[in-house]
Every structure is written in C-alpha cells, then in structure tokens.
C-alpha cells in the first residue's frame, strides 16, 4: 500500500553550529521497511532522533498519521505510535527481562498487553527462558533482542531502529533481519531502520541514501544497483 504514514519536510538539524541534516525530505509508507543507509557521520541517527523527538530540529516539518508533530514532546509522539529503538539505552539493565517488557506494554489495553508479551516471547524464546533474570545478564545479541522486544511490546505504528546490526555476529544479523521482516508482515506496521550492513538490501522495500547530511537517493531497493550501494554506503 502506498500511503505515507510518516513525512518529513525540509528538515534542518544542528549540533550548535554544526549542520547535521540539510533540507531533508523523507517519507515512510504503511506496511513498508525503509532503510536509511549512509557512511559514519552521514546523519542517520540525527534523522531518527529528530523524528522521535529526542533531537530538537531547527527547521522543518514532521507529519505522523496526519498530525504535525515536530514540536511535540517525545512521550506524546510515542503515545501516538512512534517508537525509537536507539543503539543503546532503552533497556533497564538492573530490571528483569519480564519487567522491562511489562513497562513497555503499559500504554496498551489490558487485553492487548498479554498478546503483545506472548508475541515478543514467541519471536525471541530466549527472553521467555530468561525472563526472571536481570537484563544485564543477557549477552550482547540477546540484549539487542530485548531492545527490539521492548519496541514491539509498545505496539508502535512506526518503529524507528538505529543500526540494529551493530556488534552482532553475521548469523545473528540474518536472524534479526528475518525477524524484522516477519514483524512487518504480521503487523502491517512500518519499520524505519538505519544501517550500514549489506543485509539491509534483503529486507528493505525502499532505501534512502544519506551522505554528509544530505539526501543522495530515495528509491525502491529493486531499482538500485547492489554494487553501487554496497561500495558507497555499506560496510560488512
Ligand atoms: P554513525 O553511523 O557513525 O552513527 P550517523 O550517520 O548516525 O553516524 P550522526 O550520528 O547523526 O551520523 O551524526 C551526523 C553529524 O553530526 C556528524 O557530523 C557528527 O559528527 C555530528 N554529531 C553527532 N552527534 C553530535 C554531538 N552530540 N555533538 C556534535 N556533533 C555531533
């Protein structure tokens, strides 16, 4: 379906006097995985944080589900269904895995909560096995699963994920990406993820290329030359 659920218009973002994003126009459709690719420092994290509200933009407009949201606080955006999974920091390390997930379902109705938790445990059975343990007892890969699980448990319409493959062994990257595809197919929701891993080409419907804070392309993955994208934008 070609219906934009998220739109960014003429966005500029700065860190003091350093311009990190220049005139960005971006959109994500319903039922789509959009990859944001680009080298280190391209502005991928800043774009995701600007959309989620954790980075204050200087100019531009952001629309989500027909609301204009660029001045909304993070929590209001989250309640409407926009959830950022940062590279680090959305897991409470000294809390049990179960509690971490339970906090995330709090904005859903009582009937939905159990279904969401069951779904996360079905996707990541290790989280069920270890549910009573503190999150800091999980391996790096398992913590990443918990971070994504926390995102899913919040039942967002759009999940923004910042470089989920970082620090994961190649096999785990493949499994994680397969899981993201399944989540999209099961829910019909939208996933926007920044990546530098070549495997993004296997799951993204569309790719958005960023370089030095500017858009270089916005194209369906099938129309892009894999080799060019790999050489210019992706690492491993
Ligand atoms: P990476 O893949 O390395 O995470 P990225 O594509 O996510 O890179 P950003 O982290 O968004 O890029 O950074 C965009 C630009 O903003 C870079 O030039 C970076 O140096 C600069 N930048 C990022 N965070 C800060 C900060 N806290 N203070 C100053 N400049 C920053």
């Amino acid at each position: 379906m070609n219906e934009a659920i998220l739109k960014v218009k003429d966005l500029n973002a700065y860190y003091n006097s350093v311009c990190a994003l220049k005139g960005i126009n971006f959109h994500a459709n319903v039922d789509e995985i959009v990859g944001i690719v680009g080298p280190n420092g391209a502005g991928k994290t800043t774009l995701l944080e600007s959309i989620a509200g954790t980075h204050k933009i200087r100019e531009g407009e952001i629309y989500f589900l027909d609301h204009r949201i660029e001045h909304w606080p993070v929590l209001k955006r989250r309640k409407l269904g926009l959830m950022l999974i940062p590279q680090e920091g959305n897991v409470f390390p000294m809390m049990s895995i179960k509690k971490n997930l339970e906090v995330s379902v709090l904005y859903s109705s009582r009937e939905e909560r159990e279904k969401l938790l069951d779904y996360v445990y079905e996707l990541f059975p290790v989280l069920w096995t270890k549910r009573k343990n503190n999150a800091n007892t999980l391996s790096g890969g398992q913590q990443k699963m918990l971070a994504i699980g926390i995102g899913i448990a919040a039942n967002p319409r759009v999940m923004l994920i910042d470089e989920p493959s970082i620090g994961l062994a190649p096999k785990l990257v493949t499994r994680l990406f397969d899981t993201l595809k399944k989540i999209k197919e099961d829910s019909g929701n939208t996933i926007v993820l920044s990546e530098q891993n070549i495997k993004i080409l296997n799951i993204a419907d569309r790719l958005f290329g960023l370089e030095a804070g500017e858009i270089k392309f916005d194209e369906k993955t099938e129309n892009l030359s894999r080799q060019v994208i790999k050489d210019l934008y992706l690492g491993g």
Side-chain angles (χ1 to χ4, degrees):
M1 206 194 293
N2 252 358
E3 186 192 330
I5 187 168
L6 175 69
K7 262 191 264 179
V8 168
K9 211 171 149 221
D10 301 328
L11 185 145
N12 295 325
Y14 287 76
Y15 293 93
N16 298 316
S17 59
V18 178
C19 181
L21 294 172
K22 297 170 211 155
I24 299 292
N25 288 291
F26 169 85
H27 74 279
N29 295 323
V30 172
D31 195 12
E32 189 178 45
I33 296 182
V34 183
I36 301 173
V37 298
N40 286 336
K44 304 183 294 297
T45 299
T46 310
L47 178 55
L48 294 182
E49 289 184 348
S50 300
I51 294 169
T54 51
H55 183 87
K56 262 204 162 30
I57 63 168
R58 194 170 289 182
E59 285 118 6
E61 295 165 18
I62 305 175
Y63 297 88
F64 176 50
L65 287 169
D66 296 326
H67 294 267
R68 190 167 164 182
I69 63 160
E70 73 269 10
H71 297 301
W72 286 20
V74 175
L75 194 57
K76 193 170 172 190
R77 297 183 202 204
R78 187 183 153 177
K79 281 183 180 166
L80 191 63
L82 197 52
M83 174 90 181
L84 172 66
I85 298 163
Q87 283 176 28
E88 285 178 355
N90 75 329
V91 169
F92 295 104
M94 301 307 286
M95 240 160 64
S96 73
I97 288 143
K98 184 167 174 275
K99 269 268 173 291
N100 264 281
L101 292 169
E102 283 172 354
V103 168
S104 204
V105 293
L106 280 180
Y107 296 118
S108 295
S109 66
R110 270 179 198 283
E111 305 80 68
E112 273 179 329
R113 288 179 198 171
E114 205 164 319
K115 274 194 214 151
L116 286 165
L117 292 173
D118 286 349
Y119 183 56
V120 173
Y121 288 133
E122 183 197 316
L123 289 173
F124 303 115
V126 67
L127 299 182
W128 170 255
T129 313
K130 300 194 170 186
R131 65 194 180 283
K132 291 182 186 153
N133 300 356
N134 278 359
N136 63 356
T137 62
L138 295 174
S139 70
Q142 291 166 348
Q143 291 213 17
K144 194 72 74 168
M145 290 175 203
L146 178 56
I148 306 268
I150 287 169
I152 298 161
N155 201 18
R157 297 292 303 276
V158 174
M159 190 152 64
L160 308 162
I161 317 178
D162 196 6
E163 296 208 42
S165 73
I166 279 190
L168 295 186
K171 251 195 197 156
L172 269 184
V173 174
T174 306
R175 260 182 49 203
L176 181 63
F177 281 12
D178 287 347
T179 306
L180 292 179
K181 200 162 181 181
K182 175 172 163 47
I183 292 164
K184 191 213 68 169
E185 280 161 7
D186 289 347
S187 65
N189 287 338
T190 303
I191 298 177
V192 177
L193 71 161
S194 76
E195 259 308 333
Q196 288 191 79
N197 191 297
I198 185 77
K199 289 177 182 162
I200 183 74
L201 293 168
N202 301 334
I203 61 161
D205 299 294
R206 201 153 49 80
L207 284 185
F208 182 84
L210 261 187
E211 219 182 308
E214 294 189 77
I215 307 166
K216 293 298 166 185
F217 60 84
D218 174 7
E219 210 33 274
K220 284 195 166 167
T221 311
E222 68 211 35
N223 297 339
L224 289 163
S225 151
R226 294 176 77 91
Q227 195 56 45
V228 170
I229 299 301
K230 181 171 186 271
D231 291 347
L232 291 177
Y233 295 94
L234 301 169

